[in-house]
Amino acid sequence: MTLRFCSLASGSSGNCQYIGTDKINILIDAGLSGKKIQEGLKSIDVDPNSINVILVTHEHKDHIKGVGILSRRFNIPIYANSNTWEHMEKHIGNISDENIRIFDTERDFSLGDLGISTFRTYHDASESVGFCINKKHKKISILTDTGCVDDNIRNKIKGSDLMLVESNHDIEMLKMGKYPWFLKKRIMGDKGHLSNEDAGNLITEVFCENRENILLAHLSNENNFPELAYQTVANIIADKGINIDKDISVGLTNRDCPTKVYNL
């Protein structure tokens, strides 16, 4: 019984992650147009009609743009904590009562044959969260849109078979770039986004020697580029004595097209 994962898109222009088993198909966030998400699902041979649930990390537009559209079009329940619901409801349109589902952050629940764990992240949203998705002995962790990490986050994501980890910006590119100072300060702050260096250090801190699959996510189009993110993380991993070819797999998500499908 396979646990499947594909990042349909990741970045400030839209985020959407697919996870599926033989019994359930879920999306984590739907920050693209409904049409774009449907096209992404079809490109990996997933029927949009088969999506059972949408989980929402937080209410920013690049995570919820298509949530309401998909829910209405395919009668999909939307799961979010109460604060996120309060702040996103006016942006996603009318949702039927039966499809409004509220979870408590840090309290585990089940969907089909999947166990869902949530954890608080540090972002300038009402109550942003990350997710760990478990199926028997397999685990996928989703961590983006957080300005820092704590021991709770480290403990939650440790032991993952696949981790989607934010690697948003290169610090020097951000400092020297064209963004106004208030925005640079926000991005670098404790409620902003993880840098390439932050991502590399976090990966080494939770490394468990079980050939983890790492996907670097939410790369900035202005303050980063894929080769730099990869090489910065790879250098930090190598400095800790971890063999990037043998001990761990590091890949990149895309802003506008799906990754390959990972079968765990």
Side-chain angles (χ1 to χ4, degrees):
M1 301 281 281
T2 302
L3 180 61
R4 301 182 297 274
F5 175 86
C6 177
S7 175
L8 299 180
S10 182
S12 58
S13 56
N15 297 272
C16 186
Q17 321 304 328
Y18 162 78
I19 295 174
T21 71
D22 293 338
K23 294 184 178 180
I24 191 170
N25 290 308
I26 71 173
L27 297 179
I28 297 180
D29 293 331
L32 308 164
S33 69
K35 180 181 178 182
K36 185 74 172 178
I37 293 172
Q38 288 175 236
E39 290 173 348
L41 288 169
K42 290 176 182 177
S43 76
I44 60 169
D45 296 323
V46 175
D47 183 351
N49 284 285
S50 72
I51 299 299
N52 305 103
V53 170
I54 302 172
L55 300 174
V56 179
T57 59
H58 65 290
E59 71 272 13
H60 288 169
K61 184 179 179 181
D62 58 324
H63 294 260
I64 65 166
K65 181 179 180 179
V67 167
I69 296 166
L70 293 175
S71 179
R72 288 185 291 275
R73 187 171 294 167
F74 301 108
N75 193 32
I76 303 172
I78 304 165
Y79 283 70
N81 59 46
S82 57
N83 282 328
T84 298
W85 262 113
E86 180 182 348
H87 286 81
M88 77 172 176
E89 201 161 9
K90 61 181 176 289
H91 300 294
I92 63 174
N94 293 328
I95 304 297
S96 64
D97 290 344
E98 66 178 3
N99 286 333
I100 297 174
R101 309 291 177 89
I102 298 174
F103 62 75
D104 294 326
T105 304
E106 303 287 351
R107 180 175 293 180
D108 297 350
F109 58 98
S110 297
L111 294 171
D113 56 349
L114 296 176
I116 313 296
S117 295
T118 66
F119 53 90
R120 296 181 188 276
T121 57
Y122 296 87
H123 198 50
D124 54 354
S126 58
E127 190 180 337
S128 59
V129 300
F131 291 101
C132 293
I133 312 298
N134 300 274
K135 183 178 185 297
K136 293 188 176 179
H137 303 298
K138 298 296 182 181
K139 177 178 173 181
I140 294 171
S141 293
I142 307 295
L143 175 64
T144 68
D145 296 81
T146 190
C148 60
V149 297
D150 58 16
D151 286 342
N152 183 54
I153 292 175
R154 293 184 187 93
N155 291 334
K156 287 278 189 174
I157 69 175
K158 193 169 187 176
S160 298
D161 297 278
L162 186 148
M163 284 191 291
L164 184 86
V165 177
E166 179 170 59
S167 189
N168 177 256
H169 60 277
D170 174 78
I171 295 172
E172 292 307 313
M173 282 186 70
L174 176 60
K175 288 180 178 179
M176 299 299 293
K178 64 183 182 181
Y179 282 1
W181 173 244
F182 79 87
L183 184 53
K184 294 178 182 181
K185 188 176 179 181
R186 170 196 173 256
I187 293 169
M188 290 187 291
D190 285 347
K191 291 190 176 181
H193 294 276
L194 296 180
S195 68
N196 296 335
E197 290 84 353
D198 293 331
N201 289 327
L202 176 61
I203 291 164
T204 64
E205 290 165 357
V206 300
F207 176 66
C208 286
E209 300 185 20
N210 67 341
R211 185 60 183 175
E212 290 101 320
N213 294 283
I214 309 296
L215 282 173
L216 305 180
H218 217 298
L219 273 66
S220 170
N221 197 39
E222 296 288 339
N223 304 301
N224 210 353
F225 54 93
E227 296 83 0
L228 178 58
Y230 177 88
Q231 198 57 58
T232 301
V233 170
N235 289 343
I236 292 171
I237 289 172
D239 286 346
K240 296 294 184 178
I242 302 169
N243 188 317
I244 202 167
D245 296 316
K246 179 181 177 182
D247 301 328
I248 197 169
S249 170
V250 178
L252 293 156
T253 58
N254 306 305
R255 294 174 61 83
D256 55 5
C257 63
T259 63
K260 73 175 185 179
V261 176
Y262 291 78
N263 293 287
L264 306 177

